[in-house]
Amino acid sequence: LCDCRVLSGLTDLILARVYSQSTIDELAKEASVPVINGLSDLYHPIQILADFLTLQEHYGYLNGLTLSWIGDGNNVLHSFMMAAAKLGIHLRIATPKGYEPDASVTREAEKLSKECGTKLFLTNNPVEAARGSNVLVTDTWISMGQEEEKKQKLKDFHGYQITMQTGKVAAPNWTFLHCLPRKQEEVDDEVFYSQRSLVFPEAENRKWTIMVRAAQKLYGTLLSCEGCSICLL
């Protein structure tokens, strides 16, 4: 509480990257300046805003795309689950057994999918998740503070590496996203450095989405690209 008040007096806006979602919730409740969730253990909204912007730039549209997540049921996935349906994006998810997304997030995502008329598919089979998809997405398997779990995770995630073989069951125009930093066990070099990879414009777009989000919070102005509903999230 004390830190919230101190920060409010020193800044016009707080963008916080924290471990616990409860910390963000407390900041938002107690701070007298706007608060942006830069990352928490439950959500990573800034990242998926950059991802959607990247896809909008590449395809020219979002509504009707199918996105496949192949990896851990983590904070980035949770943010995809909370936003994809609102943009008309079908979501296919593959996680190893025991690494599924949070149950409460899944229930809300199922509700949103029904309301928006999109498809939500969850499986433990990476190939099934990739089938017919326009976008293949993964993330680091070993997040901050999980270094001691590396050996077990590498075993549990065997078969989840994204390769050109994975892309053979995807849509002909499939692309690849990864929020970085990337490790080769998550995606091989052939995909990562290919023309299908959008990881470098994706990284740049974090800057633009943070700037727009900050302007929205500070000035109450909805800065939205023509024909793009990303900023409405």
Side-chain angles (χ1 to χ4, degrees):
L1 177 59
C2 181
D3 290 343
C4 295
R5 293 179 178 177
V6 170
L7 286 172
S8 296
L10 296 174
T11 66
D12 296 309
L13 178 146
I14 300 170
L15 189 152
R17 291 172 62 92
V18 300
Y19 279 105
S20 173
Q21 177 66 29
S22 63
T23 303
I24 288 287
D25 295 338
E26 182 181 8
L27 274 170
K29 180 181 178 181
E30 301 295 341
S32 59
V33 297
V35 175
I36 295 175
N37 181 355
L39 175 148
S40 74
D41 60 348
L42 191 60
Y43 295 114
H44 197 349
I46 288 294
Q47 179 58 55
I48 61 102
L49 286 174
D51 291 355
F52 288 139
L53 175 57
T54 304
L55 295 177
Q56 174 76 30
E57 289 176 337
H58 180 80
Y59 290 102
Y61 63 94
L62 295 174
N63 187 37
L65 288 178
T66 297
L67 184 147
S68 293
W69 176 273
I70 300 174
D72 198 4
N74 64 11
N75 53 355
V76 181
L77 173 59
H78 290 160
S79 287
F80 271 122
M81 294 171 72
M82 290 295 95
K86 298 175 185 178
L87 297 172
I89 297 174
H90 308 294
L91 193 56
R92 300 175 68 84
I93 299 167
T95 57
K97 291 182 179 179
Y99 295 91
E100 291 85 358
D102 180 85
S104 63
V105 173
T106 299
R107 287 193 295 271
E108 182 62 23
E110 290 171 342
K111 178 182 176 183
L112 287 170
S113 184
K114 290 179 180 178
E115 291 175 352
C116 299
T118 60
K119 297 176 182 178
L120 177 65
F121 175 72
L122 290 90
T123 181
N124 300 121
N125 187 324
V127 176
E128 284 305 307
R131 195 172 301 280
S133 180
N134 306 107
V135 189
L136 304 181
V137 190
T138 192
D139 189 9
T140 183
W141 298 345
I142 318 296
S143 298
M144 292 183 297
Q146 297 179 340
E147 289 77 13
E148 293 182 3
E149 304 171 24
K150 181 175 181 179
K151 186 175 180 179
Q152 183 62 48
K153 275 204 163 186
L154 289 177
K155 180 180 177 181
D156 294 341
F157 281 72
H158 178 72
Y160 274 73
Q161 184 192 47
I162 294 180
T163 66
M164 287 296 180
Q165 188 68 28
T166 314
K168 284 186 176 181
V169 300
N173 66 343
W174 70 271
T175 54
F176 173 76
L177 294 176
H178 190 301
C179 70
L180 307 181
R182 157 262 187 182
K183 299 180 181 65
Q184 195 166 29
E185 61 262 21
E186 300 150 4
V187 54
D188 68 5
D189 284 347
E190 187 178 10
V191 171
F192 188 78
Y193 292 107
S194 73
Q195 291 186 344
R196 294 185 180 275
S197 176
L198 303 178
V199 297
F200 298 114
E202 176 189 11
E204 177 190 341
N205 281 335
R206 282 197 290 270
K207 175 178 71 173
W208 305 117
T209 52
I210 289 171
M211 290 172 65
V212 168
R213 195 66 179 138
Q216 290 174 336
K217 286 285 190 177
L218 285 171
Y219 307 115
T221 304
L222 184 61
L223 303 178
S224 182
C225 306
E226 183 178 353
C228 174
S229 56
I230 295 169
C231 297
L232 297 175
L233 291 175

